[in-house]
Amino acid sequence: MMFECVYSTSDYSDMVFLVSMSFNKVMVAQYNSTVGKFVGFTEQGEKNAEYWNKDQAFMQDLKADVDTVCRHYAQVLDSSVRDKTVKPKVKISSVKQAEGNHPAVLMCSAYDFYPEKIKVSWLRDDKLMTSEVTSTMEMADGDWYYQIHSELEYTPKSEEKISCVVEHASSTQPIVKDWNPSMPESDRNKIAIGSSGLVLGIIIAAAGLIYYKKKSSGRILVPN
Ligand SMILES: *[C@@H]1O[C@H](CO)[C@@H](O)[C@H](O)[C@H]1NC(C)=O
């Protein structure tokens, strides 16, 4: 037996409660709350349907289940999961740098958002760019979250501002991320860590050298 609550409107006005009975993968009878009774699909199923349809108390219970089971649990589940929203994490990265006649390629990625519906667009000096934009579909991560990627091909000019705009149910304001052509954050972090290491190394080396010099100059030379 399979019990289903089928609906597609947010006010549950089209809610249908289905009870499907199958044997050896063949559906023999089904209750559909819109129809209000069982319908048999096989000889045995028809006999069963006729029997259940005569049971007034049972039919009364099934009728009430549209409200007490379907609408009730749809409301509980929608408010605890389906109506929730999670803001995307937006990142711009350089895919390709401009070289000769070849344009540069930037990628705007939105990660870990819910629900699926999202809009990603590009602005150049606050004007919407329509051509040279290719976007993937929203991709399910398999954990209720989604990700999407949009690529922009463009010929860089100096003193221009490129931004990625993400519109999503999780935020009334669009999420705007400006492209900082100087250096991506990950590269900056690598350089920062490297420089810190270098500075630390120099300090330790200098300290060592000073200590060595002090020690050797403090030594008393004994003439032989
Ligand atoms: C339930 O019955 C109604 C009325 O016959 C029909 O329109 C609807 O498609 C049925 N629902 C399902 C899910 O079979």
Side-chain angles (χ1 to χ4, degrees):
M1 279 170 66
M2 178 162 70
F3 297 83
E4 289 167 275
C5 298
V6 184
Y7 65 101
S8 59
T9 57
S10 50
D11 63 354
Y12 310 136
S13 56
D14 65 346
M15 185 66 80
V16 179
F17 180 47
L18 288 178
V19 181
S20 308
M21 310 205 167
S22 303
F23 183 73
N24 277 349
K25 297 185 184 174
V26 176
M27 188 165 24
V28 295
Q30 187 180 53
Y31 173 85
N32 175 329
S33 63
T34 311
V35 181
K37 61 176 186 181
F38 280 92
V39 175
F41 301 110
T42 65
E43 204 185 324
Q44 183 61 41
E46 278 175 7
K47 280 185 193 159
N48 286 323
E50 199 184 328
Y51 175 78
W52 291 318
N53 286 337
K54 274 194 285 203
D55 188 338
Q56 299 258 317
F58 183 40
M59 296 311 284
Q60 227 39 76
D61 280 352
L62 285 177
K63 205 174 163 182
D65 284 342
V66 189
D67 283 321
T68 57
V69 176
C70 288
R71 291 199 172 95
H72 173 71
Y73 284 109
Q75 206 273 319
V76 170
L77 292 173
D78 282 352
S79 62
S80 61
V81 177
R82 222 176 61 137
D83 295 342
K84 292 243 180 287
T85 62
V86 181
K87 222 174 170 165
K89 298 179 182 84
V90 181
K91 231 174 88 177
I92 303 184
S93 53
S94 167
V95 177
K96 225 194 267 166
Q97 297 205 314
E99 234 176 51
N101 288 335
H102 294 285
V105 180
L106 288 181
M107 184 163 72
C108 181
S109 302
Y111 294 102
D112 298 334
F113 56 88
Y114 183 87
E116 187 176 5
K117 195 172 150 54
I118 198 163
K119 194 175 152 199
V120 181
S121 43
W122 291 90
L123 294 180
R124 183 175 212 163
D125 289 329
D126 298 320
K127 275 205 293 285
L128 187 71
M129 300 185 77
T130 44
S131 55
E132 288 112 18
V133 173
T134 50
S135 192
T136 66
M137 301 288 293
E138 297 88 346
M139 294 181 281
D141 290 349
D143 55 3
W144 284 80
Y145 296 121
Y146 291 88
Q147 58 176 287
I148 192 168
H149 307 273
S150 175
E151 282 195 351
L152 170 76
E153 254 188 41
Y154 77 113
T155 311
K157 282 192 289 241
S158 56
E159 297 296 311
E160 69 179 347
K161 195 177 82 186
I162 306 268
S163 323
C164 173
V165 181
V166 176
E167 287 157 89
H168 187 252
S170 56
S171 159
T172 49
Q173 299 286 326
I175 303 162
V176 181
K177 200 98 192 172
D178 294 334
W179 169 238
N180 179 0
S182 59
M183 213 177 276
E185 199 175 331
S186 60
D187 285 8
R188 270 209 305 274
N189 286 346
K190 277 180 212 155
I191 289 177
I193 292 168
S195 322
S196 311
L198 182 65
V199 168
L200 200 64
I202 289 171
I203 291 171
I204 291 170
L209 197 66
I210 291 166
Y211 179 71
Y212 172 75
K213 285 265 187 211
K214 274 236 161 94
K215 247 205 146 158
S216 57
S217 65
R219 213 174 276 155
I220 301 156
L221 293 172
V222 182
N224 48 14

